[in-house]
Amino acid sequence: MGRGSQFQSRSNAYYQWKKLALEFQSDDESDSDDDEPLGDRRAHLGKAVSYERAQREADEASLIYRDSVTRAEHVRTDLDEHLTNYLDSMEVWELNRLMNIKSTLADYARISKRPIQAELAIGDRLEVYEESLKPQQDIQWMIEHYGTGRYTPRPIIFRPFGLSTAEYQIFGVPLDEQLLVSHKDIPLFPAKALSLIGKSTRDMSHEDRYKVWTTRALLRNIHDLRNMLNRGPSVTLKHLRSFDLPVIANLLVLYLLELPQPLCPVELQDPLRAVYSSRSEKNSIETLTAIRLLFEGVPYVHLKTIQVLFGVLSEQIKGDENSAAREQFVKAVSQRLGPIILRGREIVGVGVGRLPETLVTDLIEHYDVVLAGIETRRPIKPCARPIKSESAVDAGPSSRRAEEDPEATSRALLETAAAAAAEAVVATKRSSAVSSHSAADQAVGKRASVGSTSGGGGQSA
């Protein structure tokens, strides 16, 4: 080593490391403590001190690590406790919330169910009441039980002395008197009205045609046209064209309703009822023929008016392929015109018979069979002063009575036609009975022949 063996911190001091003479070796088996050199002991003691210090530091670090782990474990457990308590509280709160919601909904449903059940019961009863209400049948029942009759207006007639009422009025005047001042086969107003309706509806569709007859016009408009025409016997198309066709058709219905005598005489009711009572699908043609025989005895003006009226109505339904609309139209017109053209002398109640409707339906649908081609003579217009001819003087009392009373003549014709119709009905019944008896006799004969054949076969066997 340099100068001396002490270390000095000076600039002029020079030191150099030397190779150690002895190396420390620790051999417990071969070496002993007594024989170990002092240098070796010092090195060993230095290493021991270093180990103890490292051990001590390791123990201290281990102690510190243990304390840290303990504190961390306490923190973890505390955190687990807090989280668990919080989650348990949340679970309890959520459970309470759901239970409260359920109980609230149950209470609300129970409370709401009571009025709902009551309302459902009320709704069921209302439905039952609503189904029991049938307006058409109810109003029909009310009219039949509480009504005093159909609408029958009674116009006030001006009856001048020595002159005909038909020269001053149209509505409410008998057809015979109106025919005296008319140059056509029927009175002027129905002739002009039906002619205008027939010509105007010729180019219309069937639906528009049906609306002309089925539309109910205002009574005020009908009366306006009625008051315009009821001032004298003359009726012009100019007056009628100023109003709509439904108004004219409704006025025509009112005109027929105000007639003192219906279009179909009262004497036809009983024969018609007898004819329709024996009607069936097999003898429908015979029934229509019997009705035609009855109409042959109707007075001239009534028959011609019926022919013109139902001729126009039958033209309305020609070429219509829509059977539903056609049947509905025929039904509506029959219900409206039936009780008007066929009514009794006095209406004291509401009839429930379907004879008028059935008659009008047959007249519309079977016009060519029932009414077409019936010819009658127009009555001669009487003079102001009737002149008695020699033939009238020489004639017997029966002919003079017929000339004085034309109603008796028409009544006699009706009686003759009714008798002919009754004979036709009786003949129809007899023919049906004879056919049934002949069929029964043929069946009996067949049975007898079969029995005899079987008997002969048994004997031969």
Side-chain angles (χ1 to χ4, degrees):
M1 232 182 248
R3 299 176 183 177
S5 59
Q6 298 293 329
F7 176 76
Q8 297 178 0
S9 178
R10 290 185 301 179
S11 61
N12 56 358
Y14 175 76
Y15 296 95
Q16 184 179 5
W17 298 99
K18 293 181 178 180
K19 186 177 180 180
L20 295 177
L22 297 177
E23 292 181 1
F24 177 78
Q25 294 180 357
S26 60
D27 190 3
D28 295 339
E29 296 180 355
S30 61
D31 297 337
S32 61
D33 293 339
D34 296 337
D35 297 333
E36 185 176 0
L38 180 60
D40 293 338
R41 289 184 180 181
R42 289 179 179 177
H44 177 72
L45 290 175
K47 291 182 179 181
V49 172
S50 300
Y51 175 77
E52 291 177 358
R53 185 175 60 187
Q55 183 68 33
R56 185 174 60 253
E57 292 177 359
D59 293 338
E60 292 177 358
S62 178
L63 182 60
I64 294 172
Y65 172 66
R66 182 179 180 184
D67 294 338
S68 301
V69 171
T70 303
R71 288 196 303 269
E73 183 67 16
H74 285 301
V75 172
R76 186 191 64 80
T77 55
D78 292 341
L79 182 59
D80 290 343
E81 290 177 4
H82 286 88
L83 288 176
T84 304
N85 294 333
Y86 177 75
L87 293 176
D88 290 340
S89 301
M90 291 295 295
E91 182 181 359
V92 173
W93 294 344
E94 183 68 17
L95 182 60
N96 292 334
R97 187 182 70 85
L98 295 176
M99 293 180 65
N100 293 332
I101 291 175
K102 181 179 180 180
S103 61
T104 303
L105 290 177
D107 295 339
Y108 179 76
R110 185 171 60 257
I111 294 172
S112 302
K113 191 175 182 180
R114 296 175 184 174
I116 290 176
Q117 290 179 351
E119 292 176 0
L120 288 176
I122 294 172
D124 294 338
R125 290 197 298 270
L126 288 176
E127 289 181 358
V128 173
Y129 296 152
E130 187 270 335
E131 291 177 358
S132 64
L133 291 176
K134 298 179 180 179
Q136 296 295 335
Q137 298 181 5
D138 293 344
I139 195 67
Q140 184 70 20
W141 182 88
M142 186 182 299
I143 292 173
E144 292 174 359
H145 288 77
Y146 299 104
T148 58
R150 297 183 181 274
Y151 173 63
T152 53
R154 302 296 182 183
I156 302 174
I157 306 299
F158 172 67
R159 302 183 186 278
F161 179 75
L163 296 175
S164 174
T165 306
E167 297 180 2
Y168 297 91
Q169 287 182 250
I170 295 177
F171 294 87
V173 180
L175 294 176
D176 297 335
E177 296 184 17
Q178 295 186 47
L179 188 62
L180 298 177
V181 296
S182 175
H183 59 278
K184 295 183 176 294
D185 293 337
I186 62 175
L188 282 177
F189 170 68
K192 297 286 186 179
L194 292 172
S195 176
L196 178 61
I197 293 174
K199 293 178 181 179
S200 301
T201 58
R202 189 170 299 167
D203 298 332
M204 290 184 180
S205 62
H206 289 89
E207 294 181 357
D208 296 336
R209 293 181 186 179
Y210 299 159
K211 289 180 181 179
V212 172
W213 294 94
T214 57
T215 302
R216 295 298 181 95
L218 294 176
L219 191 59
R220 180 180 59 186
N221 298 336
I222 298 173
H223 282 169
D224 291 341
L225 180 57
R226 180 184 183 277
N227 296 331
M228 181 187 298
L229 300 177
N230 203 30
R231 298 175 181 175
S234 62
V235 179
T236 60
L237 294 177
K238 181 180 179 180
H239 296 153
L240 297 178
R241 287 196 180 102
S242 60
F243 288 83
D244 297 333
L245 292 179
V247 178
I248 299 173
N250 282 269
L251 183 61
L252 181 61
V253 174
L254 181 63
Y255 169 82
L256 298 176
L257 187 60
E258 290 184 351
L259 289 176
Q261 295 179 357
L263 281 181
C264 293
V266 182
E267 292 79 10
L268 283 182
Q269 288 190 1
D270 293 337
L272 286 173
R273 190 174 291 108
V275 169
Y276 278 110
S277 63
S278 60
R279 183 178 184 178
S280 62
E281 297 182 357
K282 297 181 180 180
N283 57 356
S284 59
I285 302 299
E286 290 80 359
T287 301
L288 297 177
T289 305
I291 296 173
R292 181 184 178 90
L293 293 176
L294 289 176
F295 274 98
E296 289 179 354
V298 175
Y300 173 83
V301 64
H302 290 258
L303 178 61
K304 287 297 181 181
T305 305
I306 291 174
Q307 286 178 332
V308 175
L309 173 62
F310 287 97
V312 174
L313 289 174
S314 63
E315 288 291 334
Q316 303 294 311
I317 63 175
K318 282 186 177 180
D320 186 10
E321 298 179 356
N322 189 1
S323 59
R326 174 176 175 173
E327 291 178 359
Q328 187 176 3
F329 167 72
V330 173
K331 182 179 179 180
V333 174
S334 302
Q335 291 177 351
R336 191 174 186 186
L337 290 181
I340 295 177
I341 69 170
L342 186 63
R343 63 177 187 267
R345 294 185 177 88
E346 294 182 0
I347 301 177
V348 295
V350 180
V352 296
R354 299 178 58 89
L355 176 61
E357 300 177 10
T358 308
L359 176 63
V360 172
T361 302
D362 288 340
L363 294 181
I364 295 175
E365 294 183 348
H366 307 287
Y367 170 80
D368 297 334
V369 179
V370 179
L371 294 175
I374 299 179
E375 298 292 340
T376 56
R377 294 176 56 187
R378 177 169 180 164
I380 301 175
K381 184 183 297 186
C383 299
R385 293 181 181 180
I387 301 175
K388 294 183 180 180
S389 60
E390 295 180 358
S391 60
V393 174
D394 296 337
S398 60
S399 62
R400 290 197 300 269
R401 193 183 308 110
E403 292 179 358
E404 294 175 357
D405 191 3
E407 293 183 0
T409 305
S410 61
R411 192 179 300 110
L413 291 175
L414 284 175
E415 291 177 357
T416 305
E423 291 179 359
V425 172
V426 172
T428 303
K429 291 183 178 180
R430 287 178 179 175
S431 62
S432 60
V434 169
S435 61
S436 62
H437 285 304
S438 61
D441 294 340
Q442 291 177 1
V444 172
K446 289 181 179 180
R447 291 178 182 176
S449 61
V450 169
S452 60
T453 305
S454 62
Q459 291 175 1
S460 62

